[in-house]
Each structure stands twice: as structure tokens, then as C-alpha cells.
């Protein structure tokens, strides 16, 4: 049993317990947690609770030739595929699910159920090249490839369909571009004949692709080329990545009799050479190759000037393909420049340049947002996002980079530029923090004229809005929710009117198993002024008369916070329904998720809070919040505090227990980037600055974020975990912390997971985390080797 050194029990009682000796220790060791708590906690993990939701947030798949779309909808006891036609305000099933299941069963000699069809997505039939055949759907299921006529309900079964990810179809539907052996190719969609467009690609200097990571090689995942077709399908703008002189990182798999070594290019802060790329314009018919005449661009994976969902957003084609614009980021992320390129000669003309003392953003949603810039009015006007006045807003410039005026202004943040109506000179966009009395990190839908007049709110619900726009901008799919309110999805027109309600989530099945939504709370940041927000997760049998230890879940960012998106599911990093936090709470804890100074979506000053001092990690704000909660609620025990996180959260949780050893008692840290001198140059240099060494003092400007340097501070219980095949956050950083703790003669727990890459969200890791907090924060014995069993598939 672990006795907390800052327990709320009287000091005399603690001393008497210590004197009781081994007899008391044996009795305490025998006190086990109720195993039923583990079973209830397992039931609250995301993979168990997500299927219980009926009618979740809608992710529309827009169809060719109009504004129709389809989506897969969970029903609580299965799923259905829905077709929506906004013009007709109609919502109907895409096909008869029972008849399709019967046709699949006949074709495959396997029984299928209509409400549990074994596929999540599909592609329509090839059609005539310009338009798909919507009577035919093709998909993989049960390791077979299915082609089904959903009019006649007949299916054919064959080999697994080819992965479509590596192929980018041309706008006219005739060709698909792909990368092969470092060069760019196209193939016909009609007969599959291929044509090689480039012939000078080579290893580590490839068209459209980067060198694969070991995890990609092992998984056999094909790479989607980084390119963009011109609207007239005549040309392709493609990235050519140069990694030839980038130093390699070694990693090896040790589970076979002969361990296998892998190496891969990986630039670090301070390296003289990092990966860079040029932009090439390839003429599909003539195979002409024009390189844009600009300095090679640093490969900035962690900026909004890079990639999102394999769609290249560095470039924009205009006027059907006659003009090309692109943005170029600088190493360190302090400058972004907009250029116009001559598509015939490759000559590049600088239009405008954005500089910040810390880093430049073109969208504050650094995980899912497209860069907020566009060229309109035949090239005469530029729409450009900037934080020059301390808030993210949209501005207008002329073709030479002279400012014409502001589009938006005020103490709030512009979100996504969704659609530009050039004829009406009006845009639709999302924004955060405009509505008083609301949580300022929740996005809402708006419209405004390009001269800054006519601002109108198109939504209205006090929630976080995730919006997808139809190809012609006439309709918007708006899914809105909060952490404590399940999602509602609607179709809106350009005026914001609800044309059709699609789904209203049903969580009754969740509530039947004891789930309840987290509670939203507010608190003051370390400065005592800034209002911040967080979530409280309680056990289902919460008793306000009891006193609960606290577990703080942390993901510091600085490109997203511990809460993630302020919606029901938590967004990209928060995890669907935040199941891990709910499960931990069920074991007998109060679990917290909290924003802090340093996260985006608000002012530039808030996000820049710990630029150049990544070791801050927002932890002082977490401490302030826990102290405030302890003062408000008698059921919060600020004398028993644990913390955990993964990746950046692994870095932050270890940082917390080493930097504040008298506040945090237990930390569980997985795959942490504990010293960003060993992490991506693109990430580390953007948030810590370019590495500067003081040769006289033998130090550098990264010293304030090195966890290993604080190893001697450890007082509580620390559990470090890493995968030995982590090719994102290299395990070396965890080994360095372990080595420093050994040198400091500190006891700690250390687990290396063989052949694991970066993810680590697996049952064994979850169970070991649960056990660690139960043993060292609750002071109870966990059930021996409890097995968490995910559902099949």
C-alpha cells in the first residue's frame, strides 16, 4: 500500500501506521479493490460505449454532380447508410439493408445482418469516368471484395479491392495520379494503362512521397502522393521531397531470432540539413516538368501550410488551371510568404509576407483546419488570415500585397473560411469567442460581407459547431454538440435556415450502463485573471460525502489542449466520448481535463504563453485549477493527485511530477517527447525556437524543457512506458529519462513494449495504467492480471 506523503489524515495517525510495521503492511496488501469496478470501467472504454450511441455527428460524403451526400449513421444497435438530397429536403436510406445483406449472404455463402453490415465505407461503381454509377457500390468486408448492384440486389465476390488511398483522381475523372519507385505516374480509369510522367526521381528525392517510416513499411500501408490536379486536369502540382542528406534515426525490432534494424531520415532541431521540398508542375500530355523558381521549402509537418488528410493545401490553382498560388513557410515557423507562380516558366512572384516573433498560423485549428487564405476577383484580391492585432482575423490585400481592409475584427478568433461567394462578396466562416457568456473555445457559424459589414450568426445553438460545406456552397452540414450535450446534425442553407434535421443523438443506452456526461467548470489561470475551462469526470456511484483522489489527464499541445475540441466526442485527440477518462473515474477517482495558457483557439497572447519554454506545459494552470476545485468541493482531495498523458502528454506528465514533486504524487507517462532536441525539427523549432548553443557555457536554449535534467527531484511514483518501434517519438527520449533516474538513484517503473509504434492505446497499457493509480493513489490492490477484452474487429 502506498501512503500519500501529503494525505489529509492527521500526522499522528500516519506516524502510528508507520510504526505498525510489517503486520499492518500485510493486512493493507490484502485489501483489494472491488473487481466490479474494473468490469464497469471496461464497459466505459470508447470501443464499448461508442456503438451504443444512436445518431451521432454526421460526416457527409459529398457526391459528384450536385449537393447530395451520404453518411453512415449509428443506430445504437447497428448502423445504416443514409442518402440526403438538400434540394429536395429529403433523407432516406441509401439502400434496403436487409436485401443487401441477403444478396451478400448468397454471394459469399456467409450470413450477414442488415443492421450490422461489415463495412463502414464504399465507393460507387466506375460509371463512364466523368460520373460514377450510383447503382453499384464496391467495398471490402470479411477479407473479401464485394461489388453489389443496389437496384437489383445482386452481389459478386472476389479478391479484396485495391486500396484507393494511393490514387488521386483528376477532376475530369479520366486519370488517376500515383507515385511509384520515386516517380509520378498516371493511369487511365477506364483501362488501367499507366504512363510515367517523371523519370529522375530517386530514393530520398521522390516525387509525391516521403521516405516511409518503419511502421508504414511493416504495415504495408501505401502512401497517398502529395499533389494537386489543376481544375482542367491538364497539369499536376506535385511536391518533390529532398531527404538525401538528412541524418537517419535507427530503430529495431527485437522480437525475432535475428533482430531487424531500420533507419529513416528524421531531422532534429539544430541539424544543418532537414527535409525540404520543391514544387513541380507536370504537364500530363507532354510530360513537361517545370520546377517553381523558389528556394526549397522546409518540410513543416506541424503547420497549417502543410498537409491535412493527404490533401495538399500548400498550393491553390485558379482560373481553371491558368494560375497557381502557393505559400512557403520558413524553418522555425516565424514567416509565411504567399507567391504567384507562372505555370509556363515556373517564375515566382512574392505577394505578401506574414511574420511573427513566435510563430505564424493560418488557422488556429492546427489539427483539422485548412489554411485560411484564398485568391479571388481574378487575382486582384487576396483573403489572408493574420494574428497581427493579437487575435486571429481575416484581411483583404490587393495583388501586390497592399492591405485593402479588414474583413473581421474584435476580441474573438476567426475559425475556418468555409466558402467565398464572389458574386455576393460574402463569406461563410466559423469563429470562436464572439458570443458573450459562452465557452470561448466553441466554434459557431457566421456570414459577413468582404467589406466587414453584414455580420450574421447562422447557427445560434450554445455548442461547438463542426461544419462541412457543399461543393457549390449552397448548403452546410452543421453538427453541433458540447461535452455535456449529445450531437444534433442538420442541413442549413446559406442564410442559416435549417433545411433538414438529420440526426439527434440518442444516448439512453449509455445512460443505462451508468454513463453520465462530464461536468463543465471554469477556473482562473495562474495569472488569477484569465478564465479557463475544464471537465470533471466522476464515478457512477459518486458520493459527495466522500473524498476522492484526483487524476489529471494532460495533453499540453501547444497545438491543442487536454480537452481537445469542445464537442461531445472530444475531437481529434480527445477520443470519442473521452472513454478513457470515464473509465478511470469509475475506479474511484475524480478525473479532470483542462485547458491552459498555451493552447490555441483564443488570443495570440494565450497561445504564445510558453513559446520558448515548452517545459511549462501549462502545468501551473492545472495546479491552480485543482487547488480552486479543492477549495470549492469537499469531495476533491488536493492532497492526492495523479497525472497521466500520452506523447506530448507523456512529456507533460513526467515534467509535472519532476518539476512539482510536492504537488503530484503519481504519474503515468507513455511515449513522451521528454527532450524535444530529439523530436521533429518542424515541431520543436516552431514552439521552442531554433536551437542556439552557447559553446562557452556548454548549454542551449532547449535546456528548460529537458525532463532528464530534473530526475533528482522525483519523490512520488513514476511509471514510464514506450514502444521500442516508435518512429514518431523515438524511445531514446524515454530511455534518457530512465538513465537519469538510475543515475539519481531513484526508484521508478519502466515498461518497454516490444514491436509497438507510437499508438499504445491497447488493453494491456490501459490496464497497467489503471493498476498503477489504484495501487499508488487509492492505496488498494488491483485485481490480478485483469484482462480487458475489446470487441472483435
Amino acid at each position: 500500500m502506498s501512503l500519500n506523503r501529503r494525505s489529509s489524515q492527521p500526522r499522528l495517525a500516519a506516524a502510528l501506521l508507520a510504526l505498525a510495521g510489517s503486520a499492518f503492511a500485510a493486512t493493507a496488501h490484502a485489501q483489494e479493490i472491488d473487481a466490479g469496478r474494473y468490469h464497469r470501467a471496461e464497459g466505459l472504454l470508447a470501443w464499448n460505449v461508442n456503438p451504443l450511441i444512436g445518431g451521432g455527428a454526421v460526416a457527409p460524403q459529398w457526391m459528384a454532380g450536385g449537393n447530395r451526400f451520404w453518411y453512415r449513421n449509428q443506430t445504437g444497435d447497428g448502423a445504416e447508410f443514409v442518402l440526403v438530397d438538400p434540394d429536395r429536403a429529403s433523407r432516406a436510406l441509401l439502400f434496403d439493408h436487409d436485401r443487401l445483406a441477403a444478396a451478400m449472404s448468397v454471394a459469399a455463402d456467409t450470413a450477414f445482418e442488415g443492421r450490422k453490415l461489415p463495412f463502414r465505407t464504399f465507393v460507387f461503381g466506375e460509371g463512364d469516368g466523368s460520373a460514377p454509377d450510383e447503382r453499384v457500390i464496391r467495398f471490402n468486408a470479411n477479407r473479401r471484395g464485394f461489388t453489389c448492384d443496389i437496384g437489383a440486389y445482386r452481389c459478386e465476390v472476389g479478391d479484396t479491392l485495391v486500396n484507393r488511398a494511393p490514387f488521386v483522381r483528376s477532376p475530369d475523372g479520366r486519370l488517376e495520379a500515383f507515385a511509384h519507385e520515386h516517380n509520378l505516374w498516371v493511369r487511365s480509369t477506364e483501362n488501367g494503362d499507366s504512363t510515367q510522367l517523371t523519370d529522375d526521381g530517386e530514393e530520398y528525392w521522390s516525387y509525391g512521397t516521403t521516405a516511409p517510416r518503419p511502421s508504414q513499411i511493416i504495415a504495408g500501408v501505401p502512401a497517398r502522393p502529395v499533389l494537386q490536379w489543376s481544375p482542367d486536369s491538364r497539369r499536376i502540382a506535385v511536391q518533390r521531397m529532398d531527404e538525401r542528406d538528412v541524418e537517419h534515426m535507427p530503430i529495431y525490432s527485437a522480437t525475432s531470432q535475428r533482430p531487424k534494424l531500420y533507419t529513416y531520415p528524421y531531422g532534429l532541431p539544430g541539424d544543418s540539413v532537414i527535409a525540404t521540398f520543391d514544387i513541380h508542375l507536370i504537364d500530363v500530355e507532354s510530360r513537361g516538368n517545370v520546377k517553381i523558381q523558389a528556394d526549397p521549402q522546409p518540410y513543416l509537418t506541424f503547420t497549417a501550410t502543410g498537409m491535412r488528410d493527404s490533401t495538399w493545401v500548400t498550393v491553390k490553382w485558379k482560373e481553371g488551371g491558368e494560375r497557381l498560388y502557393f505559400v512557403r513557410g520558413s524553418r522555425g515557423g516565424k514567416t509565411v510568404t504567399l507567391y504567384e507562380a507562372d505555370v509556363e516558366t515556373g517564375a515566382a512572384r512574392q505577394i505578401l509576407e506574414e511574420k511573427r516573433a513566435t510563430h505564424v498560423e493560418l488557422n488556429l485549428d492546427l489539427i483539422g483546419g485548412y489554411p485560411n487564405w484564398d485568391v479571388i476577383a481574378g487575382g486582384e484580391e487576396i483573403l489572408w488570415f493574420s494574428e497581427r492585432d493579437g487575435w486571429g482575423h481575416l484581411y483583404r490585400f490587393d495583388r501586390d500585397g497592399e492591405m485593402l481592409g479588414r474583413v473581421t475584427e474584435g476580441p474573438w478568433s476567426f475559425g475556418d473560411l468555409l466558402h467565398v461567394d464572389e458574386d455576393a462578396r460574402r463569406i461563410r466562416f466559423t469563429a470562436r469567442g464572439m458570443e458573450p457568456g459562452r465557452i470561448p473555445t466553441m466554434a459557431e457559424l457566421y456570414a459577413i460581407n468582404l467589406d466587414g459589414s453584414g455580420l450574421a450568426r447562422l447557427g445560434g445553438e450554445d455548442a461547438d459547431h463542426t461544419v462541412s460545406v457543399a461543393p457549390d456552397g449552397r448548403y452546410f452540414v452543421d453538427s453541433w454538440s458540447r461535452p455535456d450535450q449529445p450531437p444534433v446534425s442538420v442541413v442549413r442553407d446559406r442564410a442559416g435556415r435549417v433545411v433538414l434535421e438529420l440526426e439527434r443523438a440518442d444516448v439512453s443506452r449509455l445512460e443505462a450502463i451508468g454513463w453520465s456526461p462530464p461536468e463543465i467548470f471554469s477556473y482562473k489561470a495562474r495569472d488569477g485573471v484569465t478564465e479557463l475551462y475544464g471537465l470533471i469526470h466522476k464515478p457512477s456511484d459518486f458520493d459527495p460525502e466522500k473524498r476522492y483522489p484526483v487524476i489529471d489527464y494532460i495533453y499540453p499541445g501547444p497545438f491543442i489542449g487536454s480537452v481537445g475540441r469542445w464537442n461531445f466526442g472530444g475531437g481529434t485527440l480527445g477520443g470519442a466520448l473521452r472513454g478513457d477518462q470515464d473509465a478511470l473515474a469509475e475506479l474511484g477517482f475524480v478525473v479532470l481535463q483542462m485547458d491552459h495558457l498555451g493552447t490555441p483557439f483564443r488570443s495570440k497572447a494565450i497561445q504564445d504563453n510558453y513559446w520558448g519554454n515548452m517545459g511549462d506545459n501549462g502545468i501551473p494552470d492545472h495546479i491552480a485549477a485543482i487547488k480552486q476545485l479543492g477549495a470549492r468541493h469537499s469531495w476533491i482531495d488536493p492532497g492526492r493527485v495523479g497525472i497521466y498523458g500520452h506523447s506530448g502528454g507523456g512529456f507533460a506528465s513526467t515534467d509535472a511530477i519532476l518539476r512539482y514533486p510536492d504537488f503530484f504524487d503519481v504519474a503515468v507517462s507513455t511515449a513522451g517527447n521528454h527532450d524535444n532536441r530529439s523530436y521533429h525539427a518542424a515541431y520543436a523549432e516552431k514552439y521552442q525556437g531554433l536551437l542556439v548553443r552557447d559553446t562557452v557555457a556548454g548549454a542551449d536554449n532547449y535546456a528548460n524543457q529537458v525532463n532528464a535534467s530534473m530526475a533528482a527531484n522525483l519523490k512520488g511514483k513514476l511509471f514510464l512506458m514506450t514502444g521500442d518501434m516508435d518512429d514518431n517519438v523515438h524511445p531514446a527520449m524515454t530511455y534518457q529519462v530512465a538513465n537519469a533516474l538510475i543515475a539519481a538513484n531513484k526508484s521508478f517503473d519502466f515498461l518497454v513494449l516490444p514491436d509497438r509504434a507510437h499508438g499504445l492505446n491497447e488493453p494491456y497499457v490501459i490496464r497497467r495504467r489503471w493498476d498503477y493509480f489504484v495501487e499508488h493513489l487509492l492505496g488498494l490492490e488491483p485485481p490480478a492480471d485483469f484482462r480487458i477484452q475489446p470487441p472483435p474487429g
Side-chain angles (χ1 to χ4, degrees), residues 18-71:
L19 291 171
S22 60
F24 172 78
T27 303
H29 185 75
Q31 187 177 0
E32 292 189 5
I33 189 172
D34 176 8
R37 286 197 173 276
Y38 269 61
H39 288 288
R40 294 199 301 274
E42 181 183 13
L44 291 172
L45 289 171
W47 53 63
N48 289 320
V49 300
N50 290 348
L52 301 178
I53 304 171
V58 168
Q61 308 298 311
W62 300 100
M63 297 163 65
N67 292 308
R68 294 175 307 144
F69 61 90
W70 65 267
Y71 64 95

Side-chain angles (χ1 to χ4, degrees), residues 9-18:
Q9 299 295 324
R11 292 178 181 271
L12 178 59
L16 291 173
L17 287 175

Side-chain angles (χ1 to χ4, degrees), residues 188-416:
S188 169
T189 56
E190 294 180 2
N191 56 33
D193 290 344
S194 298
T195 301
Q196 186 171 348
L197 297 182
T198 66
D199 58 12
D200 58 338
E202 60 185 74
E203 187 176 24
Y204 305 125
W205 197 22
S206 303
Y207 287 93
T209 60
T210 59
R213 294 284 180 85
S215 58
Q216 294 172 302
I217 295 171
I218 294 169
V221 177
R224 185 174 177 84
V226 181
L227 58 85
Q228 193 178 120
W229 284 90
S230 63
D232 59 11
S233 300
R234 290 178 52 207
R235 294 184 175 92
I236 299 173
V238 61
Q239 168 185 287
R240 189 180 189 188
M241 185 66 66
D242 189 352
E243 302 170 283
R244 289 173 294 174
D245 296 318
V246 177
E247 288 197 55
H248 282 220
M249 195 78 86
I251 203 167
Y252 73 98
S253 169
T255 54
S256 59
Q257 287 186 316
R258 185 180 295 276
K260 182 173 178 58
L261 174 69
Y262 297 86
T263 68
Y264 54 100
Y266 191 106
L268 300 179
D271 283 358
S272 59
V273 178
I274 63 170
T276 60
F277 67 88
D278 291 307
I279 300 171
H280 288 249
L281 305 181
I282 311 298
D283 188 294
V284 176
E285 184 175 346
S286 70
R287 289 187 282 176
N289 185 336
V290 175
K291 185 173 78 72
I292 298 299
Q293 297 173 23
D295 291 338
Q297 178 165 177
Y299 183 38
L300 304 176
T301 25
F302 285 92
T303 73
T305 61
M307 292 181 294
R308 177 187 186 269
D309 296 336
S310 299
T311 300
W312 201 23
V313 292
T314 297
V315 304
K316 287 183 189 287
W317 290 98
K318 288 293 179 179
E319 315 308 329
E322 297 301 316
R323 292 184 290 115
L324 180 80
Y325 297 86
F326 67 97
V327 291
R328 182 187 185 279
S330 66
R331 183 171 179 176
K334 292 187 176 184
T335 303
V336 173
T337 310
L338 174 66
Y339 294 89
E340 179 181 10
D342 186 308
V343 299
E344 300 293 341
T345 67
R349 178 181 71 89
Q350 179 176 321
I351 298 176
L352 62 89
E353 184 176 73
E354 183 82 12
K355 288 186 177 182
R356 298 273 77 81
T358 54
H359 50 80
V360 174
E361 306 295 357
L362 295 180
N363 191 315
L364 298 185
D365 185 352
L366 305 179
I367 295 294
Y370 286 101
N372 286 316
W373 65 274
D374 204 353
V375 182
I376 62 173
E380 295 302 314
E381 286 185 70
I382 313 296
L383 299 180
W384 186 257
F385 177 90
S386 173
E387 295 181 277
R388 61 187 60 201
D389 73 348
W391 296 90
H393 282 295
L394 200 67
Y395 296 77
R396 286 190 306 124
F397 294 84
D398 68 15
R399 67 182 311 274
D400 296 316
E402 296 296 322
M403 186 186 293
L404 298 173
R406 304 181 62 126
V407 181
T408 64
E409 64 180 314
W412 49 270
S413 296
F414 190 94
D416 291 309

Side-chain angles (χ1 to χ4, degrees), residues 521-568:
F521 73 99
S522 63
Y523 66 97
K524 298 296 184 183
R526 72 189 80 176
D527 59 11
V529 176
T530 307
E531 196 82 3
L532 297 173
Y533 300 85
L535 303 175
I536 301 175
H537 302 260
K538 299 176 181 178
S540 60
D541 60 351
F542 175 77
D543 182 352
E545 300 303 315
K546 291 185 177 180
R547 197 162 169 84
Y548 292 88
V550 175
I551 297 179
D552 180 12
Y553 166 75
I554 189 167
Y555 189 86
F559 53 91
I560 197 168
S562 305
V563 177
R565 283 289 300 269
W566 273 82
N567 55 29
F568 190 68

Side-chain angles (χ1 to χ4, degrees), residues 666-680:
V666 184
V668 179
S669 304
T670 53
N673 48 310
H674 300 284
D675 182 350
N676 286 282
R677 292 175 299 190
S678 295
Y679 195 46
H680 291 286

